[in-house]
Amino acid sequence: MTFRNTDDDNPNAEGRATLEQLVRWRRDVRRFKTDAVPDALVERLLRLADLAPSVGNSQPWRIVNVPSSELRAEIVGNFEAARIHAGEGYSGDQADLYYRLKLAGLKAAPVHLAVFCDQGVLQGHGLGRHTMPETLDHSCACMVTVLWLAAREAGLGLGWVSIVDPAQVSKTLGAPPDWKLVGYLLLGWPEEEHLDPELERHGWQERTPFETRYFTAGNAPLSNEAKDARPAKPTRPGSVTLVGSGPGDPELLTIKALFALQSADAVLFDDLVAKPILDLVRPGARLIDVGKRGYRKSCKQPDINAQMVSLAREGLKVVRLKSGDPLIFGRAGEEIEACEAAGIAISVVPGVTSAQGAAANLKVSLTNRDHARRLQFITAHDRRGMLPKDIDWSAVADSAATTVIYMPKRTLAELTEIALVHGLDPKTPAIAVANATRPDERVFVSTIGAIAAALDAAHPDGPVLVMLGEALRYATARDAAERAEQIAAAHGVLPEQS
């Protein structure tokens, strides 16, 4: 998951996240890339965090940057010793799980920050501290939370290390006696993104329902036992609907898909969903970007499954919005299985798949009865992003079939080379379409022997599909005629009339 931010300092910047996304995604990051974070970005985030509220405007936080490798090594040793000591308090499976949860980011994170609370601060004139002196610590926690959210909005991750001996950290860093360690923070670019906390993902502790922590004074005695004994259920059952948004043109949405978008409480949308379609979502609904970006770090499928289930368990109508048709190379099977396993009601609204949209714009029949006995869809990459090993090459080489290749950008040259070896005629018509049905649609008319080179030279942005087969000759003939007319018009020569 890449957070949306327009800041130039963020190499992953693509837009700006909503506050709700930041709150839901402000996970404790434990694995970082070693890439440096620009000093200007770190300073900007710290200055923003310094605006956090504090009791009596006391601003008791003291932030210590730790760039020294020697000091960091001492902190790592402190952590390892504290980790072993804390592990002695667990036994059995809990102990095994505890020792498997390692904080690799302590060595990889490019920025280390120690946050102290100055217990002797005079600023604020003691306002609020005479009755609740611990609010100094609470103020520092507010500052860290602001820093945490600001870092995530910039695409950075923040980890809060609590398994350390505070006194030893203070000694290592030479902190004054009145400074109390609040947290040792790690800042850097996340190695991976997840929607759920790592401790929940690995089975340490699941998140419990909100209702177990919400009370109304005067109705009954305040008691954890009463809350824990009563199962917290949403006032209405939640549900998930998988909706196909089509290839991009919002007018290709089905009426049922439009109804789903306008009644949704939350919409989890893919990277390829066109913005005009997102504009049709009911105002007030949660919009959550869970796009999986090919060949880049992106949101993991198990995280998306967990997010769908979590939102539905809150009693929400959840729409999982996908480009094209969710049942055609859309990983719908995994999401349906996740919802059914969790007891969540799920339905599917099909969409116009990109092959249909592209063919419609080209005005070509993919099943022309004079040339095609079969229409087949194949994907050009597997779970690893590689060309699948189990493609039926004899079917691809069949001259009486129309083949549509989804997601072929990286593997098209390899695919066409193997298909030609298996007997596919290199002169077979082939058409590549980028951003089918959208305003920036691009069409590349060629043959299967040359289409990979044409695409590589053009390097089009956005989703691409390739169609091949004799049924496409009508489209290629029209394209050739249009090009001839354009050339003739450019030179002031009218084409011959027959």
Side-chain angles (χ1 to χ4, degrees):
M1 181 178 7
T2 300
F3 295 101
R4 307 304 200 219
N5 185 0
T6 55
D7 192 292
D8 292 338
D9 289 325
N10 178 6
N12 302 316
E14 296 181 17
R16 189 171 297 278
T18 65
L19 176 61
E20 178 165 344
Q21 286 175 316
L22 293 175
V23 172
R24 285 184 174 275
W25 296 341
R26 63 151 192 87
R27 303 308 185 193
D28 188 29
V29 176
R30 291 166 174 260
R31 295 177 177 83
F32 296 89
K33 299 177 182 177
T34 57
D35 300 1
V37 179
D39 292 340
L41 176 56
V42 175
E43 181 176 353
R44 182 174 71 80
L45 296 177
L46 292 178
R47 288 184 177 276
L48 183 59
D50 190 59
L51 299 176
S54 59
V55 59
N57 200 24
S58 56
Q59 297 171 269
W61 47 82
R62 304 293 180 259
I63 306 169
V64 179
N65 198 325
V66 188
S68 165
S69 57
E70 291 80 7
L71 294 179
R72 289 187 183 188
E74 288 191 40
I75 299 295
V76 171
N78 182 338
F79 166 78
E80 294 294 350
R83 178 171 173 269
I84 293 172
H85 178 69
E88 295 172 356
Y90 301 104
S91 61
D93 293 341
Q94 196 85 15
D96 292 339
L97 180 55
Y98 173 83
Y99 285 114
R100 288 202 302 272
L101 295 172
K102 298 181 179 180
L103 192 64
L106 194 58
K107 297 180 180 179
V111 180
H112 287 217
L113 303 169
V115 176
F116 294 89
C117 178
D118 185 353
Q119 302 288 311
V121 63
L122 298 178
Q123 183 175 327
H125 308 293
L127 180 65
R129 284 178 268 160
H130 296 294
T131 51
M132 297 181 66
E134 63 275 12
T135 50
L136 284 178
D137 292 343
H138 300 168
S139 298
C140 292
C142 285
M143 185 280 296
V144 173
T145 299
V146 173
L147 177 60
W148 203 330
L149 292 172
R152 297 307 278 141
E153 197 267 348
L156 289 163
L158 187 145
W160 190 330
V161 182
S162 57
I163 306 176
V164 288
D165 180 343
Q168 190 61 42
V169 173
S170 297
K171 181 180 178 181
T172 297
L173 300 181
D178 285 343
W179 288 16
K180 173 185 176 182
L181 182 69
V182 173
Y184 193 84
L185 309 181
L186 307 175
L187 191 66
W189 307 110
E191 189 176 86
E192 55 186 12
E193 299 281 8
H194 292 279
L195 288 169
D196 56 339
E198 183 169 347
L199 293 180
E200 182 177 348
R201 190 164 60 255
H202 289 289
W204 181 263
Q205 173 64 62
E206 291 186 2
R207 192 163 184 82
T208 53
F210 163 77
E211 289 78 6
T212 63
R213 294 178 293 280
Y214 179 74
F215 301 83
T216 301
N219 290 350
L222 303 182
S223 168
N224 278 330
E225 287 75 14
K227 280 284 183 178
D228 293 341
R230 186 181 73 245
K233 294 183 179 180
T235 56
R236 64 173 184 176
S239 63
V240 172
T241 303
L242 306 186
V243 174
S245 69
D249 183 350
E251 293 185 0
L252 293 179
L253 274 178
T254 65
I255 295 176
K256 194 169 185 177
L258 183 61
F259 284 163
L261 293 178
Q262 295 184 344
S263 63
D265 298 310
V267 177
L268 282 69
F269 63 94
D270 277 349
D271 224 32
L272 299 180
V273 174
K275 187 180 183 301
I277 293 173
L278 294 177
D279 292 339
L280 299 174
V281 175
R282 177 182 68 83
R286 305 176 186 177
L287 279 174
I288 303 173
D289 183 348
V290 294
K292 289 186 288 295
R293 300 160 182 86
Y295 308 97
R296 289 181 284 164
K297 292 291 185 183
S298 58
C299 191
K300 304 294 190 298
Q301 186 63 50
D303 298 332
I304 299 174
N305 297 346
Q307 180 80 324
M308 286 191 310
V309 169
S310 175
L311 291 169
R313 282 176 172 165
E314 293 179 22
L316 305 181
K317 291 182 180 178
V318 181
V319 164
R320 175 71 176 97
L321 187 62
K322 297 169 172 286
S323 178
D325 184 295
L327 303 177
I328 298 179
F329 301 125
R331 306 192 187 189
E334 298 168 55
E335 296 175 351
I336 292 171
E337 183 180 353
C339 289
E340 290 181 339
I344 302 297
I346 185 167
S347 57
V348 181
V349 177
V352 174
T353 189
S354 54
Q356 294 172 304
N361 276 7
L362 288 167
K363 297 181 286 293
V364 60
S365 170
L366 298 177
T367 56
N368 184 297
R369 64 181 181 176
D370 292 332
H371 297 286
R373 292 194 307 270
R374 186 175 72 258
L375 171 63
Q376 56 192 6
F377 296 164
I378 66 172
T379 176
H381 77 242
D382 57 17
R383 287 176 178 268
R384 305 164 301 149
M386 310 290 287
L387 185 68
K389 296 181 178 180
D390 56 356
I391 292 177
D392 184 347
W393 294 107
S394 62
V396 175
D398 184 358
S399 61
T402 301
T403 303
V404 180
I405 309 168
Y406 282 72
M407 298 166 282
K409 272 188 174 180
R410 291 291 185 90
T411 60
L412 184 59
E414 181 183 3
L415 186 151
T416 55
E417 181 180 349
I418 297 175
L420 294 176
V421 170
H422 282 79
L424 181 63
D425 187 343
K427 296 181 180 179
T428 301
I431 302 177
V433 182
N435 300 309
T437 78
R438 306 187 188 207
D440 57 348
E441 177 184 277
R442 297 180 67 186
V443 177
F444 304 86
V445 178
S446 185
T447 62
I448 194 60
I451 191 66
L455 268 184
D456 186 59
H459 196 63
D461 292 328
V464 172
L465 62 81
V466 172
M467 302 179 288
L468 64 99
E470 291 299 324
L472 302 179
R473 254 188 220 288
Y474 291 105
T476 57
R478 278 198 303 272
D479 182 78
E482 290 175 1
R483 286 185 180 179
E485 291 179 1
Q486 291 171 358
I487 293 172
H491 290 82
V493 179
L494 293 177
E496 293 184 3
Q497 302 294 319
S498 58

